Amino acid sequence: MTYTGWMSVKIDGHENEVMDIPTLSAVPPSDFKGYAETHLLYIDHHDVIRATVGDYPFATSAAQADELIKLLEEFKRRMA
């Protein structure tokens, strides 16, 4: 599916493509994983989970990833 609500964001001299809120709201769950894997998070060659925009680390171990998952589960409960 093609989405039209992309924005270009420049951080530390690097251009990044992100979706606006209305467009992201229209993304079905079946497409969201692909968006997240290409535009939100990735795992580097040291197995560190990083943000695509800004390249900062989210988690450096499985235990930290578990805590990140718990936090996302809390956010999910708030959104329901």
Side-chain angles (χ1 to χ4, degrees), residues 52-77:
T52 301
V53 176
D55 202 38
Y56 53 89
F58 270 101
T60 61
S61 68
Q64 289 177 348
D66 285 339
E67 293 304 313
L68 180 59
I69 291 166
K70 288 178 190 175
L71 178 62
L72 289 172
E73 287 173 343
E74 280 182 39
F75 290 170
K76 178 182 171 183
R77 281 190 292 277

Side-chain angles (χ1 to χ4, degrees), residues 3-11 15-21 23-24 35 38-40 52-54:
Y3 301 99
T4 58
W6 289 93
M7 300 179 293
S8 184
V9 177
K10 194 172 199 172
I11 297 176
E15 291 287 330
N16 298 279
E17 295 294 317
V18 296
M19 283 187 186
D20 61 19
I21 292 172
T23 303
L24 186 57
Y35 171 72
T38 57
H39 291 88
L40 299 180
T52 301
V53 176

Side-chain angles (χ1 to χ4, degrees), residues 16-56:
N16 298 279
E17 295 294 317
V18 296
M19 283 187 186
D20 61 19
I21 292 172
T23 303
L24 186 57
S25 295
V27 173
S30 59
D31 289 349
F32 183 77
K33 182 180 178 188
Y35 171 72
E37 289 178 327
T38 57
H39 291 88
L40 299 180
L41 300 173
Y42 73 98
I43 192 158
D44 71 12
H45 63 283
H46 295 292
D47 294 333
V48 172
I49 300 171
R50 291 185 171 273
T52 301
V53 176
D55 202 38
Y56 53 89

